[in-house]
Amino acid sequence: FKVQLAVVTAGAPELKESPFLLTLLTNLFNQEGSLPRDRTELYERQVRSALKLFFSSREAATVAKLGLNYEDLAAVQDRSFEFLRTLAFVCHSVTKAREFDFNSTDASKKFQGALADRWGEVQTEFLEHSRGSEEVTGKAFETSEMEKWLMPQEGSCVSILVCTSESERTYRFGHLTFQEFLAASFVAHLKNPAAIW
């Protein structure tokens, strides 16, 4: 760990000066045996690692509710990462809020509409790239399906998200760093980023 940390932090010394970043590095090293080369890779690998851990704990009955099986989980993890990027972008750039909900207030309807629109665009692009595939990658998932699949229960922290009130169905990203990274990653992966503004 010390040798890899010295190499990584030679080019990015701030990684070892922040307790939060050092914790992420330690977690990744313990799970995967290697360290990321830079901060972007650190955040992406941490989010993907959290998704992998989350999905490994899902019961077969829960998986079946989405019409999936365990052979589909790798593809679902990729789609979940795409959904989190879309969600972060909508929170960060459209509604400009950290907390979000799935209720019937005007603000919530604005959020839900923006999320459905953006997720629909991502799905369309994703499905175009997977034409002819028999895998789950060729299946579209509605926002409501992703919500049921990914949103944690009150008091728990699942897939980088935290439920702040189960009765009010309110959530937020557990750390603003992940929301910012995922929102930026969403924009970076667009074919035409200028079109969103």
Side-chain angles (χ1 to χ4, degrees), residues 119-131:
W119 181 236
E121 293 167 10
V122 170
Q123 292 271 354
T124 300
E125 186 174 315
F126 202 91
L127 293 173
E128 286 174 2
H129 289 285
S130 63
R131 276 204 183 114

Side-chain angles (χ1 to χ4, degrees), residues 173-190:
F173 283 86
H175 200 285
L176 185 58
T177 300
F178 291 117
Q179 180 178 325
E180 291 170 339
F181 160 72
L182 288 163
S185 179
F186 176 88
V187 175
H189 286 83
L190 289 175

Side-chain angles (χ1 to χ4, degrees), residues 156-169:
S156 66
C157 182
V158 182
S159 301
I160 312 298
L161 298 170
V162 175
C163 177
T164 55
S165 172
E166 189 172 352
S167 62
E168 296 180 22
R169 293 174 59 205

Side-chain angles (χ1 to χ4, degrees), residues 94-108:
V94 178
T95 60
K96 297 181 183 359
R98 188 155 179 217
E99 198 162 87
F100 57 94
D101 65 63
F102 295 93
N103 297 319
S104 57
T105 64
D106 288 342
S108 181

